[in-house]
Amino acid sequence: MNDRRDFLKKSLLTLGAAGLTGSLAQAFNFSTGAKAKISIKKGDVILFQGDSITDAGRKRDNLNPNDSNAFGNGYAFMAASTLLNKHADKDLKVYNRGISGNRVPDLLGRWQTDALELKPTILSIMIGVNDFWRTKDRGAVNTPEQYKAQYKELLDKTVSALPGVKLILIEPFGVNNVKHVKDDWYPEFPKYQQVVKELAQEYKAVFLPYQQVFDQALKRNANGAHWTTDGVHTTMAGANLMAEAWLNLVS
């Protein structure tokens, strides 16, 4: 537990040095060096990508944009429905292509069809918890360095095919002492979180620190089961918390 506390203290200092001030839940835009704000433009194509947290039970045979059945019941659905309401005049197309259990290599295997061919102008990626988790529960071998190299390959393919895309790289999170997330996740899991921050900086993307979002929420309700069912997958409250933080990126 002390390792986790030490990491959080170091993370806050690092983020502060990078210019992330104010609310711990505030995302940071490394392309501008300021608090993140993404302008929604007419005709934008917005894509949510990731694992089960993004998937959230969506009907995967429904590939349509702006369709509730294609979104499941998680943060992506909540954020997308708000976007389509608030920006009804902008003819947005919003997709969800999260798939439960995915790691970065899984994204690489389907990236051409499930990302590049959709030609998103705003691409939100939340991936990484399974890249670590499978090393704990299934004996997979995947170091933070390997995770970073795989993620860089994904991002290189993306910026090469979509040079103007606005990237949102989302920090994977865990709520400690809720079912699967225990003290033995630390200090290793935070190394994977740090990778995402470093990649956001390298690729001048928006970095959304969901770990800080949940840590801050725990100050309002310290029962982690209020926010997640198992330390990773969200309750209704947790999904809404995530959607709210994502929507704070948008102007």
Side-chain angles (χ1 to χ4, degrees):
M1 190 66 176
N2 288 335
D3 288 333
R4 181 171 184 266
R5 287 176 181 149
D6 290 343
F7 174 81
L8 290 172
K9 289 177 182 177
K10 291 176 183 176
S11 295
L12 294 178
L13 290 172
T14 302
L15 287 168
L20 182 58
T21 58
S23 170
L24 294 181
Q26 177 65 58
F28 189 80
N29 189 339
F30 281 104
S31 69
T32 63
K35 291 180 180 179
K37 282 295 180 185
I38 292 178
S39 296
I40 300 294
K41 298 179 180 179
K42 191 174 182 64
D44 266 340
V45 177
I46 302 168
L47 172 60
F48 289 88
Q49 265 290 3
D51 52 34
S52 56
I53 303 170
T54 302
D55 181 331
R58 70 182 180 90
K59 291 187 177 180
R60 295 181 199 161
D61 59 348
N62 186 338
L63 303 180
N64 297 320
N66 308 350
D67 189 323
S68 59
N69 288 327
F71 269 85
N73 58 10
Y75 81 97
F77 169 75
M78 294 183 182
S81 58
T82 300
L83 285 171
L84 292 168
N85 174 25
K86 296 289 186 181
H87 302 277
D89 60 330
K90 291 187 170 62
D91 299 321
L92 303 179
K93 288 184 179 179
V94 192
Y95 294 91
N96 182 359
R97 288 292 191 273
I99 293 184
S100 180
N102 268 195
R103 298 179 291 174
V104 176
D106 299 302
L107 293 189
L108 280 166
R110 61 186 183 85
W111 206 239
Q112 181 63 37
T113 300
D114 283 352
L116 303 184
E117 290 180 7
L118 296 176
K119 300 186 185 309
T121 54
I122 298 173
L123 174 56
S124 176
I125 307 174
M126 184 180 182
I127 199 74
V129 69
N130 290 319
D131 297 77
F132 166 75
W133 197 353
R134 296 294 84 87
T135 70
K136 298 292 296 179
D137 66 355
R138 298 183 189 176
V141 177
N142 190 29
T143 65
E145 293 75 21
Q146 291 171 315
Y147 168 61
K148 186 173 186 177
Q150 294 160 359
Y151 210 150
K152 279 177 63 68
E153 181 181 353
L154 185 83
L155 294 174
D156 285 341
K157 289 178 181 291
T158 302
V159 298
S160 176
L162 306 168
V165 69
K166 298 174 184 176
L167 290 171
I168 301 169
L169 302 190
I170 298 177
E171 178 185 42
F173 66 89
V175 177
N176 200 21
N177 295 318
V178 182
K179 198 171 181 179
H180 296 303
V181 182
K182 301 297 183 184
D183 285 349
D184 64 358
W185 277 44
Y186 306 95
E188 198 65 16
F189 178 52
K191 297 176 184 178
Y192 293 75
Q193 296 174 313
Q194 181 66 17
V195 163
V196 182
K197 178 176 178 291
E198 291 172 357
L199 291 175
Q201 186 169 16
E202 181 175 346
Y203 287 84
K204 299 191 183 304
V206 169
F207 174 66
L208 180 50
Y210 268 147
Q211 186 63 60
Q212 293 183 44
V213 171
F214 278 91
D215 287 345
Q216 186 168 309
L218 287 168
K219 295 177 183 178
R220 295 190 285 127
N221 186 328
N223 178 12
H226 179 76
W227 305 106
T228 72
T229 60
D230 59 4
V232 172
H233 299 96
T234 54
T235 60
M236 290 174 66
N240 186 263
L241 180 73
M242 291 180 69
E244 182 179 59
W246 197 99
L247 289 165
N248 280 342
L249 305 176
V250 174
S251 62

